[in-house]
Amino acid sequence: MKHVIVVGNGMVGYKFCEKLRAKADSTKVKVTVIGEEVLPAYDRVHLSEYFETGEKEQLLMAPRDWYAENDIELITGTLVNHINREEKAVSTYDGKHFHYDMLVLATGSSAFVPPIPGVEKQGVFVYRTLEDLDAIMAYGKDCQNATVIGGGLLGLEAAKAVKDMGLTAHVVEMAPRLMPRQLDDRGAKMLSNTLEKMGLQFHLSKRSESIVGADAVTGLAFQDGEILHTDMVIISAGIKPRDELARQCGLPVGERGGVVVDGELKTADPNIFAIGEVALFEGMIYGLVAPGYEMAEIVAAQIAEVDYTPFEGADMSTKLKLVGTEVGSFGDALMESREGTSIVMEDQFKGIYKRINLSADGKRLLGGVLVGDTSRYNILHQMVLNEMPLPPHPEDLIAEAREGAPVGNGVADLPDGAQVCSCENVTKGALCHTIEKEELLTLDAIKSCTKAGTGCGGCVPMVTDLMKELHKKMGKEVRNVICEHFAYSRQELFSLVKVKGIRTYRELLAAYGKGNGCEVCKPAVASILASCWNELVAKQSTIQDTNDRFLANIQKGGSYSVVPRIPGGEITPDKLIVLGQVAKKYDLYLKITGGQRIDMFGAHVGDLPDIWEELINAGFESGHAYGKSLRTVKSCVGSTWCRYGLHDSVSFAIEVENRYKGLRAPHKLKGGVSGCIRECAEARGKDFGIIATEKGWNLYVAGNGGSKPQHAQLLAADISSEDCIKYLDRFLMFYIKTAEPLNRTSTWISKLEGGLDYVKDVVVNDCLGIGEELEQEMQQLINVYSCEWKEVVNNPELRKRFRHFANSDEKDPTIKFEPMREQKKPVNW
């Protein structure tokens, strides 16, 4: 029986054990793992999540019991300090010796610390291990700010950690742009603009000269003479392979570090392998986890004496989320060394930048950059890897998806050989074959059986799409679960929250979810909780999206808008004067909107509570322009003033808007009331539209404007005001309870089996017998309504959250305006 010793228990070391045990049991191979850290292997890719949860166990690749259950001897907290190649043995610092038949070096890397004078001072840290994070958090308790040296992937992760600690975060980068190896100038600029709005401050093209301070850090001096005052310095300027054991025993290493290996991952000693970030293959150190996993697979196969394909290098494409901003870089992202053509799509308002590079003959996709929206990353990446032909209009590959419209190639177009999961080297063909053969019906089952999606998780959306496609072909039920953290649809989660009386995200996650949640499930659950209980969303601000977190829409340049409710578009002269006075006092830009209210733009986040206090004192309420909720009910002047008006449309619009104000839904809701068929309120372009008739009102539903306008459809004709309200209660409540996240009413109805006819049956004919229940549920929400901004204004603790800097009341100095037609606008950025 062979004895394999693995030195290093990081992610790649663990993955090697997992793969080896899948190929050879303990009767064939004895495995001993010696790790330097006290904890078993943990997920370094998601290290920053430790700042959110504070729970180390959640990051473990596998609990300690897993090693025992798989007959693997795990020794942690032990440093291997010597390799005797002649005797085929390793020694540890505490004097123990272990003999091996095969040795696998999976020692990974350490943080590269540049030779800057002062790095030994108190308050200087690296960002690499959980122990580093513990030390940073302990020291940071007495700090106001921190500076991260390094604007690459790890540096920005560290900056996020600093921000999560409530400190002002500075990032210093030697290059003129962030992530210089992954992003081009425009992509990096878009990223820095987005991150600056979240409070990060960048210092580009800056070379650090020394760290200033007596015993502890007080500043960072640059070569241009400038000094940045800072309480703490975190170095995240790259990695350095942990190759000291290889050097000690005479194995060849690279000029800049790394143990030299061949395609079989063997070092100069045929009994010693090196994998992961310590391995140097053809002059390249692969600092991503996926290539390390591929190396682990190859070495495990050799030891188990099964077929394998030698290592030929790895793709360095990557997709991740930095401080809540999606970033992707794939293939030849920068196209610096070959000819071709680029197509660029840029939306500064939304913070989205997309670039794809095409071959000179226009037939192939070479690579690209994505910032702000990586929803197409997986398919684009696969098109590059598999040299798939471009569609007739390549620009469609990065065009904004329009509801219901197909965009470029889909997962069904991928060849069977396409590598879906690079971490586990799972192809589309293998994945589909296993799903069909084993009849796997859930994402968890697919992960467990194929390992796809268990690494970095970047392929999970593609695995999910493939699963749905295949289930349709197999005639299986397709469950639209909300995300990998909840195996339930939105409708099912809504029922669970309602029936079980769940009031918080944490309660729901603990009872029916797993993991820490994500940017998909958090706002979706926040919407469900608000729709069930209509409680103040600001009390659970961490699960809200940016607009709901600050109860205002963030605008171009980083300022916010203030939108008070003006029901039915009716306003008194006194209130109109107040809006003018507030706008002048806080220097706000005024605009009358299509929803018949007045938006005020250009507010600093710190001014929002003061502005709203004055508005509330004048009788205004929140207009919920920031929420997936009722926005406005537009009206014409109706029979009160118009010669053609049949009914008082203004009064009815005010009644309806006041009834449903603050109502949270899967998407925004808009309404309209017209006094006659001339339709001056454009009611048929709304989610619900009411039009006066000779006999009463016609009620229309499921209309909308936007990129794919929909005319509303008639739900009920010639009904009384009372019946109109009753049907609206039922319609809106049925929509809220059954629609998928971010589906407008028109999309929701189009997906319902039976469409509008079925909705009519439920709402008008009460075919399910739930009409009264829906009305009661709506009334309960109406009864507990309160103005969100009034709650914030009167709550000192909530008011404190509305600051740009965590420890100061100063305004964001980067927000700048310039004059325009006697008002102002954001400067171009």
Side-chain angles (χ1 to χ4, degrees):
M1 182 171 63
K2 299 174 187 172
H3 184 197
V4 176
I5 291 181
V6 184
V7 181
N9 188 220
M11 294 176 73
V12 173
Y14 161 79
K15 188 58 67 175
F16 167 78
C17 294
E18 187 185 86
K19 290 177 179 293
L20 180 59
R21 268 294 171 256
K23 303 177 193 302
D25 61 26
S26 58
T27 63
K28 297 178 180 176
V29 180
K30 176 185 177 183
V31 181
T32 300
V33 181
I34 306 174
E36 186 178 321
E37 294 190 59
V38 175
L39 282 176
Y42 53 83
D43 184 355
R44 247 181 258 277
V45 175
H46 299 99
L47 202 58
S48 62
E49 291 181 4
Y50 180 52
F51 283 88
E52 298 177 11
T53 65
E55 297 177 14
K56 297 176 179 177
E57 288 71 19
Q58 290 192 10
L59 289 174
L60 293 183
M61 301 294 291
R64 194 176 287 273
D65 291 346
W66 178 88
Y67 296 87
E69 291 166 0
N70 286 277
D71 295 316
I72 296 173
E73 183 184 14
L74 175 64
I75 303 169
T76 57
T78 300
L79 177 68
V80 174
N81 59 3
H82 185 77
I83 298 174
N84 187 328
R85 289 168 55 191
E86 290 186 359
E87 295 185 4
K88 298 174 69 173
V90 299
S91 303
T92 62
Y93 79 104
D94 53 0
K96 294 179 180 175
H97 304 280
F98 300 84
H99 287 274
Y100 64 81
D101 296 303
M102 298 287 183
L103 180 66
V104 179
L105 296 178
T107 46
S109 63
S110 58
F112 168 70
V113 179
I116 305 171
V119 292
E120 75 288 351
K121 296 184 188 300
Q122 293 177 27
V124 180
F125 302 91
V126 296
Y127 186 82
R128 188 66 184 163
T129 67
L130 284 171
E131 285 72 21
D132 295 333
L133 268 60
D134 283 335
I136 289 170
M137 285 192 287
Y139 194 85
K141 290 178 180 176
D142 298 322
C143 296
Q144 301 295 314
N145 57 63
T147 298
V148 178
I149 298 179
L153 295 173
L154 289 174
L156 294 176
E157 278 290 313
K160 178 184 184 301
V162 169
K163 185 173 177 292
D164 289 344
M165 291 167 61
L167 307 182
T168 299
H170 296 268
V171 177
V172 174
E173 169 58 45
M174 189 169 59
R177 65 175 188 260
L178 298 176
M179 297 179 63
R181 296 179 64 180
Q182 291 87 14
L183 301 182
D184 59 6
D185 288 342
R186 293 170 69 178
K189 182 63 178 172
M190 185 66 76
L191 177 64
S192 62
N193 284 341
T194 303
L195 299 185
E196 280 172 352
K197 284 188 286 189
M198 298 179 183
L200 272 62
Q201 299 180 39
F202 297 105
H203 309 266
L204 305 177
S205 300
K206 291 287 189 182
R207 288 181 176 273
S208 301
E209 176 75 16
S210 64
I211 296 173
V212 181
D215 296 325
V217 174
T218 58
L220 182 63
F222 300 124
Q223 285 187 354
D224 60 8
E226 183 185 350
I227 293 179
L228 174 65
H229 295 285
T230 186
D231 300 327
M232 180 163 57
V233 170
I234 300 173
I235 297 174
S236 186
I239 60 172
K240 181 182 177 183
R242 292 285 307 273
D243 57 9
E244 56 269 26
L245 279 174
R247 292 176 186 271
Q248 170 268 316
C249 70
L251 292 174
V253 297
E255 185 178 347
R256 302 177 67 177
V259 186
V260 177
V261 296
D262 59 16
E264 295 180 320
L265 287 317
K266 286 180 179 173
T267 66
D269 185 329
N271 298 310
I272 302 178
F273 298 88
I275 58 177
E277 292 175 346
V278 73
L280 179 69
F281 176 75
E282 295 185 350
M284 181 82 175
I285 294 286
Y286 292 91
L288 299 177
V289 70
Y293 285 2
E294 185 180 348
M295 294 176 182
E297 168 70 26
I298 293 169
V299 175
Q302 291 177 71
I303 293 174
E305 299 180 358
V306 297
D307 293 339
Y308 66 95
T309 302
F311 189 70
E312 297 178 343
D315 180 67
M316 292 297 282
S317 301
T318 185
K319 184 186 82 165
L320 68 165
K321 184 166 279 191
L322 294 168
V323 201
T325 303
E326 297 179 358
V327 177
S329 172
F330 58 95
D332 189 350
L334 305 181
M335 205 168 63
E336 293 173 327
S337 60
R338 55 177 161 177
E339 293 185 356
T341 304
S342 296
I343 298 176
V344 172
M345 192 286 285
E346 189 170 352
D347 185 338
Q348 294 199 3
F349 184 76
K350 294 181 178 177
I352 293 174
Y353 172 79
K354 299 178 183 179
R355 165 183 166 177
I356 53 174
N357 303 323
L358 313 183
S359 59
D361 60 7
K363 295 182 178 178
R364 294 285 185 274
L365 181 63
L366 302 178
V369 173
L370 304 170
V371 176
D373 177 10
T374 59
S375 57
R376 297 282 294 167
Y377 170 87
N378 285 321
I379 191 68
L380 293 172
H381 185 203
Q382 290 301 321
M383 288 183 67
V384 173
L385 293 178
N386 296 282
E387 298 185 345
M388 294 169 64
L390 288 169
H393 301 285
E395 65 274 15
D396 287 350
L397 293 171
I398 54 173
E400 184 174 356
R402 292 168 176 78
E403 256 180 317
V407 179
N409 301 54
V411 292
D413 299 317
L414 292 175
D416 283 349
Q419 188 185 52
V420 174
C421 176
S422 57
C423 294
E424 296 291 340
N425 192 24
V426 181
T427 64
K428 176 195 170 188
L431 191 66
C432 293
H433 175 74
T434 306
I435 292 173
E436 281 188 292
K437 182 182 176 184
E438 303 296 331
E439 295 192 355
L440 305 176
L441 299 180
T442 67
L443 183 60
D444 277 348
I446 293 171
K447 283 183 170 182
S448 175
C449 193
T450 68
K451 296 297 180 186
T454 58
C456 69
C459 65
V460 169
M462 182 174 283
V463 174
T464 304
D465 288 345
L466 276 172
M467 176 185 73
K468 291 178 179 177
E469 285 283 333
L470 215 54
H471 285 175
K472 285 180 183 175
K473 290 180 182 175
M474 295 162 63
K476 301 290 185 182
E477 180 188 5
V478 178
R479 299 191 70 230
N480 289 319
V481 299
I482 200 163
C483 74
E484 63 180 294
H485 300 105
F486 289 98
Y488 299 94
S489 66
R490 181 189 180 278
Q491 185 176 350
E492 290 167 337
L493 284 179
F494 188 99
S495 298
L496 288 170
V497 168
K498 191 76 175 177
V499 172
K500 300 293 183 181
I502 293 172
R503 299 276 178 166
T504 69
Y505 176 80
R506 284 191 172 276
E507 282 181 64
L508 186 66
L509 186 66
Y512 297 101
K514 63 181 181 179
N516 299 319
C518 64
E519 283 71 16
V520 173
C521 62
K522 286 179 180 177
V525 171
S527 170
I528 291 171
L529 291 168
S531 292
C532 283
W533 312 119
N534 210 6
E535 294 176 335
L536 183 62
V537 298
K539 289 183 178 177
Q540 296 190 66
S541 61
T542 57
I543 61 172
Q544 312 293 340
D545 61 24
T546 301
N547 289 343
D548 271 327
R549 188 172 299 182
F550 293 104
L551 301 179
N553 286 333
I554 189 168
Q555 303 293 336
K556 186 177 181 180
S559 63
Y560 289 82
S561 61
V562 175
V563 188
R565 186 168 299 285
I566 303 178
E570 182 183 84
I571 187 168
T572 65
D574 285 341
K575 282 191 169 182
L576 204 54
I577 290 170
V578 169
L579 291 182
Q581 290 171 333
V582 170
K584 289 186 72 171
K585 180 176 179 180
Y586 294 94
D587 188 24
L588 303 176
Y589 168 88
L590 291 184
K591 176 76 173 66
I592 297 173
T593 73
Q596 296 183 334
R597 53 187 178 183
I598 298 174
D599 284 9
M600 299 189 283
F601 294 86
H604 288 267
V605 66
D607 287 339
L608 290 174
D610 294 336
I611 292 171
W612 274 105
E613 185 169 15
E614 295 194 30
L615 293 174
I616 287 166
N617 288 339
F620 285 103
E621 291 181 309
S622 170
H624 292 91
Y626 45 83
K628 302 292 184 288
S629 55
L630 179 78
R631 299 289 176 82
T632 65
V633 179
K634 188 176 180 180
S635 72
C636 64
V637 295
S639 60
T640 308
W641 294 92
C642 178
R643 293 180 293 121
Y644 303 106
L646 297 173
H647 303 309
D648 182 0
S649 53
V650 177
S651 295
F652 200 30
I654 293 172
E655 179 185 347
V656 172
E657 183 163 345
N658 281 329
R659 181 171 182 81
Y660 301 120
K661 62 187 177 185
L663 180 68
R664 296 279 177 162
H667 210 303
K668 62 185 175 185
L669 290 166
K670 294 184 178 181
V673 181
S674 284
C676 74
I677 196 63
R678 290 172 180 78
E679 254 281 72
C680 292
E682 301 164 325
R684 292 192 63 191
K686 312 296 183 188
D687 293 281
F688 59 88
I690 304 165
I691 301 176
T693 69
E694 296 285 351
K695 299 178 181 177
W697 303 95
N698 281 352
L699 175 58
Y700 297 84
V701 294
N704 60 253
S707 61
K708 191 178 179 183
Q710 296 280 331
H711 250 154
Q713 303 173 72
L714 184 64
L715 183 73
D718 297 326
I719 55 177
S720 66
S721 299
E722 292 74 20
D723 281 344
C724 190
I725 294 292
K726 179 171 72 175
Y727 292 159
L728 266 179
D729 280 359
R730 294 179 180 183
F731 170 76
L732 293 173
M733 207 66 227
F734 191 45
Y735 161 65
I736 288 170
K737 294 179 75 168
T738 59
E740 295 175 18
L742 301 179
N743 274 190
R744 290 290 295 267
T745 52
S746 59
T747 306
W748 165 64
I749 282 185
S750 69
K751 291 182 176 179
L752 281 177
E753 190 173 346
L756 181 66
D757 289 339
Y758 175 61
V759 172
K760 277 184 182 175
D761 261 356
V762 174
V763 172
V764 180
N765 302 326
D766 198 12
C767 66
L768 300 180
I770 60 172
E772 189 173 342
E773 179 185 333
L774 293 172
E775 294 168 41
Q776 289 173 354
E777 288 178 322
M778 178 62 76
Q779 192 59 49
Q780 288 169 4
L781 293 177
I782 293 167
N783 291 343
V784 297
Y785 163 80
S786 63
C787 173
E788 291 172 339
W789 265 112
K790 187 174 184 179
E791 296 272 334
V792 171
V793 164
N794 294 324
N795 186 323
E797 288 303 313
L798 292 178
R799 286 184 77 133
K800 289 179 182 176
R801 296 181 185 172
F802 292 83
R803 296 192 298 182
H804 179 71
F805 297 106
N807 57 346
S808 166
D809 289 330
E810 290 184 18
K811 296 178 180 178
D812 183 353
T814 65
I815 296 178
K816 298 184 187 307
F817 302 99
E818 59 188 15
M820 183 186 69
R821 295 188 293 276
E822 301 183 39
Q823 295 200 74
K824 69 176 185 180
K825 73 180 184 73
V827 296
N828 291 328
W829 54 289

